[in-house]
Amino acid sequence: MRDKEVAGLEKRFFTIGMAGHIDHGKTSLTKALTNVDTDRLKEEKERQISIELGFAPLYEDQEIQISVIDVPGHERFIRQMIAGVAGIDLVVLVVAADEGVMPQTREHLEILKFLGIKNGIVAITKIDRVDEEFIELVKDDILAELSGSVFEGAPFILVDSLSRKGIEQLKELIIKTLKEQEMRDTKGPFRMPIDQVFTVKGQGTVVRGTVYEGTIEEGQILKIMPEGLDARVRQIQVHHKSAGKAYAGQRAALNLSGVSKEDLERGDVVVSSEHFIVTKTIDVAIRVVEELEHLIKQRMPIKLHIGTTEVMGRIVFFDRNEIKKENGEILCQLRLEEEIVTKRGDRFILRRPSPQETIGGGWVIDPRGQKYRFGNHTIEELEKKKEGSPKERITAALMEAKSLPFSELMKQTALEEQVLSEQLKEKEFVLFNGKEYTLSVLIDSIEEDIIDYLQEFHHETPMKLGVNKAELMQTMQKKVPKNLLDFVIEIGITNQVLKRKEQFVFLADFNPHVPKNWAKRTENMLDELKKDELKVRYLKDYFSAAGIPASIEIDVKRFLEHQGLIVMLDEQFAYYGAVFNEAVDKLKRNTGLEFEVGEAKEILGLSRKYMIPFLEKLDASGLTKRIENKRVWK
């Protein structure tokens, strides 16, 4: 299995969050699951509440790595809570058995809904404090509260962090749930909103955050947006351990050169591409909370929470002047006082600055908003934007399914046949197998994954020609349809990036070889075998004399035989390849169309001990055919 730093193809990285009311046991539950106390600040210890986000590693194996964010639950610290859940893949909603659903529990549920987080588990904590009958009442209370929410139908786990009841069951459920979930995009441009900036003595500036998308590696040049500052990644840490790379879904700390702590602040975004948009006007689709305490009025001040950024602005409607109650999606615009970094599809939360309350949330339709007139025409234009251009619809459908036939694309994009046909002529769309479409960017991405896989395979098994194609297909079919994968492999072979021999696929520039640390000993072993010509010892004696361990003997033997450097007569004896070939030539020159065993013994000077395996090898190789007591040359 590949090392985690190069395992982007198989290994997946996730961050989960603990959410819930203050003092319902989130930090204690995090500690019980991870053995890490996430309350770091003196003030947190004294007041026994979480002020900043707390992070801890939960689980890691060869397939998956999971981190935990302990999100503050106190109303005053709602901004940290929003920053925390914005980058997570699963939420554990924590409800104390002795209190049940509380005000911040409800607010957290609203926030999770607006941020589009659908994967959740409900953990009822402190179960040792109440009897079973009371727990059933709390369950009913929670079920009623969750009805109609994103957590409706979420599994329940009863736990107690002190006695550790249910802790292992919760951990197993988290792991199982995430192993069935797709990870974030590791192939796009890197983006990590900063939630902490600090300095380390002797190291300099460090920023920490959750990697939203893409991959970062040491030495890479980045930009800090919205200021546009350049910085270089000196070192990467994931949970206080050095890592050559960081992937989407991981919590990462980046040690940056070229910028000081004073240059940066929470809410800035570290990116690898200048294509991310810096903006102060965004077109959005929002939903509001079910029970608004106050009217939302035209152009009223709002506080936008997006990623780790919070910025003041105003909300602008084009089809109304106020909202009292609204169940559907509202298309409108946010005009901000400061620049932010965002892109289409990003989720956000809206808060009222005074009195402070969550009023709604939604997603970014277009980060390049303009000034529009009030009226239905603007709403109609925003509706078109919301649906996306024909190209955006096709791209989104293919990114999701990886490949689709024309008829299915028509269904999923709701485009007319003529419009779809015209769009599919664009260079970013690729027709393969004569009937299915995919994206050129996906082909490049899949080819990169194949190259990564083969590079690691060659590194780990340098004596093997390549990986069995069926094995490669089986490994990668988890993410890529078989027909598309087969197409990409063929493209790689056509472009001479890959090669195929029989059932094996390998990199075009790879040549099988004995590992460097055993190469000299193997060479010495071959010299001894060559020197003994046709009167050899048992092959295992040559390996033993050369100091080649039994653990790699089979692989070395298979490699040497495949390369023609040795010829196995049987399980015990082998000849040096050139010696065997010379013996065959000598026998052929000195016999007619057929010969007997005695004649061969005399020509080669071999005893029966070697002669019989030698002749049987000739038969097995198709050089001769045995007829009664004679061999006939083919």
Side-chain angles (χ1 to χ4, degrees):
M1 184 61 69
R2 304 202 267 168
D3 184 87
K4 66 182 178 183
E5 288 190 8
V6 291
L9 183 60
E10 289 110 357
K11 193 149 189 174
R12 297 180 296 151
F13 305 93
F14 295 102
T15 302
I16 73 166
M18 298 284 177
H21 192 77
I22 181 174
D23 200 32
H24 274 209
K26 297 186 302 297
T27 302
S28 297
L29 182 56
T30 301
K31 186 176 181 181
L33 285 166
T34 66
N35 296 317
V36 175
D37 187 350
T38 55
D39 277 349
R40 302 169 290 102
L41 304 179
K42 181 183 176 185
E43 189 183 356
E44 291 178 324
K45 297 285 189 186
E46 290 173 352
R47 294 168 61 188
Q48 294 187 322
I49 60 172
S50 295
I51 298 170
E52 291 290 348
L53 302 172
F55 309 99
L58 173 72
Y59 177 79
E60 181 172 8
D61 62 18
Q62 293 174 321
E63 182 183 346
I64 196 169
Q65 182 191 75
I66 306 172
S67 307
V68 177
I69 294 182
D70 172 20
V71 178
H74 194 282
E75 197 277 335
R76 281 179 54 199
F77 309 123
I78 198 77
R79 69 187 183 93
Q80 282 93 335
M81 184 266 171
I82 292 168
V85 298
I88 70 175
D89 305 286
L90 177 146
V91 172
V92 177
L93 184 67
V94 178
V95 183
D98 57 348
E99 288 193 325
V101 174
M102 297 293 281
Q104 268 71 59
T105 315
R106 296 187 182 95
E107 187 165 21
H108 284 200
L109 275 170
E110 292 277 17
I111 288 168
L112 295 172
K113 175 180 74 176
F114 296 138
L115 291 175
I117 295 171
K118 300 173 183 175
N119 219 357
I121 296 169
V122 180
I124 301 178
T125 59
K126 306 183 183 183
I127 58 172
D128 282 357
R129 294 190 182 186
V130 297
D131 57 33
E132 288 187 18
E133 189 175 341
F134 195 83
I135 290 173
E136 289 304 313
L137 292 174
V138 171
K139 267 190 180 180
D140 292 341
D141 183 27
I142 296 170
L143 283 170
E145 195 66 43
L146 297 183
S147 178
S149 79
V150 292
F151 273 57
E152 185 174 23
F156 278 64
I157 295 282
L158 303 179
V159 298
D160 192 279
S161 301
L162 297 179
S163 67
R164 297 193 59 80
K165 285 179 185 173
I167 296 298
E168 285 307 310
Q169 291 92 321
L170 174 58
K171 190 171 182 177
E172 287 170 9
L173 181 58
I174 291 168
I175 295 165
K176 179 179 181 292
T177 304
L178 289 176
K179 282 194 173 183
E180 295 170 355
Q181 184 171 323
E182 284 294 310
M183 71 177 285
R184 295 166 185 260
D185 179 20
T186 61
K187 294 299 179 187
F190 174 80
R191 178 166 59 144
M192 187 186 86
I194 297 171
D195 56 47
Q196 290 172 332
V197 184
F198 53 95
T199 56
V200 175
K201 191 174 180 180
Q203 298 293 321
T205 307
V206 177
V207 298
R208 184 180 283 139
T210 300
V211 182
Y212 272 28
E213 55 194 327
T215 305
I216 188 70
E217 56 185 280
E218 288 181 356
Q220 197 166 335
I221 302 298
L222 298 170
K223 283 214 174 277
I224 314 294
M225 306 297 280
E227 295 87 353
L229 302 173
D230 289 320
R232 187 177 69 85
V233 182
R234 293 174 59 188
Q235 187 184 6
I236 299 171
Q237 284 196 348
V238 176
H239 292 309
H240 309 291
K241 293 180 181 178
S242 292
K245 289 185 179 181
Y247 298 93
Q250 283 187 311
R251 286 289 306 169
L254 309 182
N255 179 203
L256 302 177
S257 63
V259 289
S260 67
K261 179 178 180 289
E262 289 68 35
D263 294 330
L264 311 177
E265 62 182 2
R266 174 197 181 96
D268 288 344
V269 184
V270 186
V271 298
S272 63
S273 167
E274 294 184 7
H275 297 306
F276 284 102
I277 295 165
V278 176
T279 180
K280 292 173 72 173
T281 305
I282 55 176
D283 297 336
V284 298
I286 69 167
R287 292 180 183 273
V288 297
V289 298
E290 289 184 10
E291 297 179 11
L292 282 169
E293 291 189 26
H294 307 86
L295 291 177
I296 300 176
K297 295 184 178 180
Q298 175 75 293
R299 297 182 181 272
M300 77 170 228
I302 49 91
K303 183 176 280 188
L304 169 72
H305 295 266
I306 187 163
T308 58
T309 302
E310 52 181 288
V311 59
M312 293 295 297
R314 292 184 180 274
I315 189 165
V316 178
F317 300 115
F318 301 104
D319 60 348
R320 68 195 73 201
N321 286 306
E322 63 180 31
I323 301 174
K324 296 178 182 178
K325 186 177 178 67
E326 178 67 55
N327 293 324
E329 210 166 39
I330 302 163
L331 303 182
C332 56
Q333 190 177 78
L334 303 178
R335 296 180 186 171
L336 309 173
E337 294 179 5
E338 300 171 47
E339 291 182 323
I340 63 167
V341 179
T342 188
K343 71 176 191 177
R344 178 181 169 88
D346 280 357
R347 295 275 182 165
F348 60 82
I349 299 296
L350 294 178
R351 299 264 292 163
R352 188 190 302 274
S354 179
Q356 290 192 14
E357 63 172 338
T358 300
I359 58 173
W363 62 280
V364 177
I365 295 173
D366 186 354
R368 300 183 186 88
Q370 306 294 320
K371 288 194 173 181
Y372 313 120
R373 291 185 177 182
F374 189 93
N376 287 333
H377 176 72
T378 295
I379 295 298
E380 288 170 7
E381 290 302 309
L382 290 177
E383 281 285 1
K384 290 178 185 176
K385 275 193 185 185
K386 177 188 165 188
E387 292 299 321
S389 67
K391 185 179 288 187
E392 285 172 337
R393 291 194 222 174
I394 298 167
T395 301
L398 290 175
M399 285 298 288
E400 179 73 23
K402 304 297 187 285
S403 67
L404 288 169
F406 187 90
S407 58
E408 191 59 33
L409 267 172
M410 277 189 67
K411 288 180 190 174
Q412 294 203 19
T413 60
L415 293 172
E416 293 178 5
E417 185 174 351
Q418 187 177 349
V419 174
L420 181 58
S421 295
E422 283 301 311
Q423 288 293 323
L424 288 173
K425 292 175 184 176
E426 298 288 331
K427 62 181 180 180
E428 54 260 61
F429 305 119
V430 178
L431 177 67
F432 70 100
N433 291 353
K435 59 182 180 180
E436 290 199 67
Y437 289 89
T438 188
L439 297 166
S440 59
V441 68
L442 276 176
I443 292 173
D444 293 342
S445 172
I446 296 163
E447 185 175 84
E448 282 178 26
D449 286 346
I450 292 170
I451 291 169
D452 286 347
Y453 183 91
L454 290 175
Q455 281 177 339
E456 189 60 23
F457 182 87
H458 292 328
H459 175 74
E460 290 186 354
T461 56
M463 291 183 285
K464 291 184 178 179
L465 175 63
V467 66
N468 191 303
K469 185 183 175 185
E471 181 186 332
L472 177 65
M473 298 284 282
Q474 186 176 6
T475 300
M476 298 193 65
Q477 265 179 246
K478 296 172 187 173
K479 289 188 175 182
V480 184
K482 181 178 180 296
N483 53 355
L484 178 55
L485 188 56
D486 204 36
F487 175 67
V488 176
I489 291 172
E490 292 305 316
I491 287 178
I493 292 168
T494 302
N495 294 337
Q496 298 184 327
V497 175
L498 310 175
K499 283 187 178 179
R500 182 177 56 217
K501 185 176 181 180
E502 298 170 351
Q503 75 268 38
F504 299 106
V505 177
F506 51 97
L507 293 176
D509 59 358
F510 174 73
N511 290 307
H513 58 276
V514 175
K516 191 175 180 181
N517 51 335
W518 301 115
K520 187 62 180 174
R521 297 188 187 192
T522 304
E523 189 180 324
N524 293 338
M525 189 270 296
L526 287 171
D527 287 343
E528 289 300 311
L529 190 66
K530 181 180 180 182
K531 192 187 300 179
D532 287 343
E533 296 186 334
L534 296 178
K535 296 178 180 178
V536 293
R537 293 168 281 151
Y538 291 138
L539 184 61
K540 66 179 180 180
D541 293 340
Y542 291 95
F543 278 106
S544 180
I548 297 170
S551 59
I552 67 166
E553 187 178 313
I554 293 174
D555 287 340
V556 174
K557 183 170 69 173
R558 188 183 294 123
F559 166 76
L560 295 176
E561 188 175 15
H562 188 80
Q563 295 294 309
L565 292 169
I566 65 171
V567 175
M568 296 299 301
L569 300 186
D570 56 20
E571 291 298 315
Q572 300 182 86
F573 293 115
Y575 282 156
Y576 187 74
V579 170
F580 175 81
N581 293 335
E582 287 169 10
V584 173
D585 288 343
K586 185 177 180 180
L587 187 59
K588 200 164 191 177
R589 285 196 312 269
N590 291 281
T591 58
L593 293 176
E594 58 183 36
F595 61 92
E596 294 183 353
V597 175
E599 190 179 353
K601 284 171 64 178
E602 190 174 328
I603 293 168
L604 298 178
L606 289 178
S607 66
R608 188 175 182 84
K609 171 183 171 182
Y610 298 110
M611 197 70 253
I612 297 304
F614 182 87
L615 293 175
E616 288 178 348
K617 183 66 179 180
L618 294 184
D619 295 340
S621 302
L623 295 171
T624 59
K625 181 179 180 182
R626 182 176 176 177
I627 300 176
E628 296 179 351
N629 294 326
K630 294 181 180 181
R631 253 70 179 194
V632 177
W633 291 105
K634 287 189 175 181

